[in-house]
Amino acid sequence: MNEKLLQYLWNFKIFKSFDFKDMEGNNVEILDFGKWNFNSGPDFLFGKIKYKGLTLAGNIELHVKSSDWIFHQHSGNPEFDNIIAHVVFLHDVLIEEFTKKEIPTLELKDHIDENLISKYKVLLQETQFIPCEKIFNPDLIPFYFHEENLLKKLDEKSIEHEKTLKFYKNNYEEILFHQLAYAFGLKVNAPIFKQIAESLDYKIINKIRQNQVQLEALFFGICGSLDNPADPEMETWKREFDFLKSKYSLPMTVIPPKFSRLRPPNFPTIRLSQLASLYTQHQNLFSKLIKAKSVEELSEIFSSVKASSYWDERFNFGKISPIKGEKHLTKDFIDLLLINAVLPLKYTYQKNTNENTAQEILNFYEKLPAEKNTIIDNWKALHVPVNNSLESQSLLFHYQIFCLEKKCLDCSIGLRLMNPH
């Protein structure tokens, strides 16, 4: 037993019986269990009890043992002056000031199902995908679980977007560029690609975006990839980059991307060329994405994006590959761009322009396929159905926020598992 679990059981009134008595055998009727306090002071505020014929209103303090009142040095603290009941799991010592003030001490040990304590111990085990793995029951997932999780995630992302928008003077096109760069980088190069995007004044992108050679030169040059040209195409990019560097006083910082642990189609060379292709093909990209009313319309915007012809027979600079062919964006990759970059920003825009209909965004996610990764595979192994990206995004968010942090007592699934009735 620990104090958080005791507070949890008190808050949700999970007891075998409510026939509470103080340590002298006097009846204590709980009229109001109080409001759980997550700040300093008593654990539950505004409680109400009936004791010795009197109705008392005030605060309720919980401890694992009665002696914790002394160890926590609550005595004499003015925040604890209005205590009407001391609730403990185990009564181990008489607190004199409670006796003098006729404040009842309630021992809960016999009111708590031992199975609940055993379940909680299981939740704290270390060697599981999720803490509740051994007692998990997919039938106990709350009905609106996925919708609520995804909206929480989008709201958190929206707060990040709003801070960034304030810094960039409400330029959604610029924020979109940063978000897409991050998404094009995937897991390995995401922060590096975003750093590249943020190191560039977006006005430069706008001025040269009709010229894919210049955009590629800009991206490759910032990466430091053009210092030793190995073929005529690289020499062209280097000349263009030197021109842009001089014309726009580009930063001298070199931001090299990573190639390790990547399949060739995900090499930064290919992804940066595809990003350049996207911005060459679409002026006012953000406006087009906002106007799109279906997943099909959104996907169509990315469907013709491909790396430049130099990469038809290469994955890295100056090296001919035996695998040849145009390098278009795959459907799976487009779906990831929509899930991770486009829809969160679309949600923020609609929210801030009073056009937000949360259901519309949820519908977009519902029509996109679920992501494929280890975490989702582990959820599926627990017999959790994952039919679309709404559900996969929800489960990824839930795993990160609750499962990794072992916040089982704050988790809606944990609540159902601990008290399935």
Side-chain angles (χ1 to χ4, degrees):
M1 175 59 67
N2 63 36
E3 195 166 300
K4 184 164 186 180
L5 176 58
L6 193 66
Q7 293 171 358
Y8 173 89
L9 297 174
W10 182 263
N11 184 67
F12 292 104
K13 307 171 184 63
I14 306 174
F15 300 111
K16 292 191 293 185
S17 72
F18 294 85
D19 183 22
F20 298 120
K21 298 181 185 296
D22 70 2
M23 301 317 299
E24 297 174 358
N26 298 302
N27 292 326
V28 182
E29 183 181 356
I30 310 300
L31 303 176
D32 190 329
F33 282 72
K35 180 181 179 182
W36 200 347
N37 175 32
F38 296 99
N39 300 311
S40 63
D43 295 317
F44 287 83
L45 308 177
F46 315 119
K48 188 182 293 185
I49 68 172
K50 190 171 183 179
Y51 179 62
K52 292 185 177 181
L54 297 174
T55 298
L56 306 174
N59 304 323
I60 299 170
E61 179 67 5
L62 276 65
H63 286 122
V64 175
K65 297 180 179 179
S66 304
S67 55
D68 288 339
W69 175 269
I70 300 169
F71 295 140
H72 295 175
Q73 300 180 338
H74 293 326
S75 184
N77 184 336
E79 285 190 306
F80 294 86
D81 282 348
N82 192 26
I83 296 295
I84 59 170
H86 189 211
V87 178
V88 300
F89 177 71
L90 181 66
H91 180 60
D92 65 338
V93 67
L94 192 67
I95 306 296
E96 189 175 347
E97 62 187 285
F98 290 154
T99 303
K100 288 181 179 178
K101 296 179 181 178
E102 293 194 84
I103 296 173
T105 295
L106 284 66
E107 186 182 64
L108 296 180
K109 180 167 60 73
D110 294 333
H111 294 271
I112 296 173
D113 188 340
E114 291 183 4
N115 289 329
L116 289 175
I117 300 175
S118 299
K119 283 184 178 180
Y120 185 62
K121 288 179 180 177
V122 169
L123 298 181
L124 298 182
Q125 292 181 13
E126 296 292 336
T127 58
Q128 301 180 110
F129 162 58
I130 56 176
C132 63
E133 184 171 324
K134 290 185 179 178
I135 59 173
F136 183 80
N137 182 349
D139 293 333
L140 295 181
I141 295 177
F143 189 73
Y144 290 108
F145 173 83
H146 293 307
E147 290 84 349
E148 291 173 356
N149 268 350
L150 180 53
L151 288 174
K152 285 178 185 176
K153 182 174 185 176
L154 289 170
D155 280 329
E156 287 188 7
K157 192 66 179 176
S158 181
I159 291 171
E160 293 179 24
H161 284 329
E162 285 162 5
K163 289 179 182 177
T164 312
L165 282 164
K166 186 175 182 181
F167 181 82
Y168 287 101
K169 299 179 180 178
N170 224 38
N171 189 336
Y172 278 92
E173 288 280 1
E174 187 161 10
I175 305 305
L176 174 65
F177 176 57
H178 296 169
Q179 293 301 310
L180 284 171
Y182 185 89
F184 266 82
L186 293 171
K187 186 175 182 180
V188 173
N189 281 307
I192 296 172
F193 277 24
K194 189 176 183 186
Q195 186 181 0
I196 291 171
E198 291 177 345
S199 72
L200 298 168
D201 187 336
Y202 187 69
K203 292 177 183 176
I204 299 172
I205 304 296
N206 257 341
K207 288 177 181 177
I208 68 171
R209 65 191 300 169
Q210 292 181 338
N211 187 330
Q212 184 167 342
V213 173
Q214 285 195 330
L215 268 183
E216 286 180 294
L218 182 61
F219 295 158
F220 295 149
I222 292 292
C223 292
S225 303
L226 305 176
D227 293 341
N228 299 298
D231 49 45
E233 290 89 343
M234 288 187 68
E235 290 176 357
T236 300
W237 280 324
K238 187 177 188 312
R239 285 195 301 272
E240 291 293 344
F241 180 66
D242 289 341
F243 167 74
L244 294 171
K245 185 166 60 175
S246 173
K247 181 175 181 179
Y248 295 111
S249 302
L250 295 177
M252 301 301 293
T253 307
V254 173
I255 309 172
K258 298 177 181 179
F259 285 80
S260 60
R261 296 185 293 114
L262 287 172
R263 293 173 58 250
N266 290 328
F267 276 5
T269 47
I270 306 304
R271 293 308 184 196
L272 286 173
S273 179
Q274 290 168 337
L275 182 62
S277 169
L278 173 65
Y279 273 84
T280 301
Q281 290 185 33
H282 297 287
Q283 307 297 312
N284 303 314
L285 179 59
F286 178 75
S287 298
K288 291 183 179 180
L289 294 172
I290 287 299
K291 290 176 182 177
K293 296 301 181 184
S294 68
V295 167
E296 291 74 22
E297 286 183 55
L298 287 173
S299 299
E300 181 64 26
I301 293 170
F302 296 90
S303 63
S304 58
V305 171
K306 64 177 181 177
S308 59
S309 58
Y310 177 80
W311 302 107
D312 288 353
E313 54 184 20
R314 297 174 180 84
F315 289 98
N316 211 334
F317 293 101
K319 298 178 181 178
I320 302 297
S321 168
I323 302 173
K324 295 178 173 56
E326 294 182 340
K327 294 175 175 62
H328 290 268
L329 297 183
T330 64
K331 181 182 182 305
D332 285 348
F333 190 78
I334 292 173
D335 290 341
L336 285 177
L337 294 177
L338 300 183
I339 290 167
N340 295 315
V342 175
L343 290 179
L345 192 59
K346 190 177 177 79
Y347 176 84
T348 299
Y349 175 80
Q350 291 180 344
K351 180 179 176 182
N352 289 342
T353 54
N354 297 318
E355 297 176 18
N356 183 43
T357 55
Q359 190 57 52
E360 179 186 354
I361 299 297
L362 293 178
N363 289 342
F364 274 110
Y365 278 100
E366 196 171 18
K367 291 175 182 176
L368 285 164
E371 296 101 310
K372 301 171 185 176
N373 54 51
T374 303
I375 295 173
I376 297 303
D377 288 342
N378 282 328
W379 281 112
K380 288 181 178 179
L382 293 174
H383 306 292
V384 176
V386 190
N387 300 307
N388 50 55
S389 71
L390 188 158
E391 294 174 357
S392 62
Q393 282 283 292
S394 160
L395 292 167
L396 290 170
F397 175 79
H398 199 84
Y399 176 74
Q400 181 182 16
I401 300 301
F402 296 100
C403 304
L404 281 180
E405 301 297 325
K406 295 188 181 296
K407 294 184 178 179
C408 305
L409 300 182
D410 300 320
C411 165
S412 56
I413 297 176
L415 172 60
R416 297 286 299 278
L417 290 171
M418 293 289 287
N419 186 29
H421 305 298

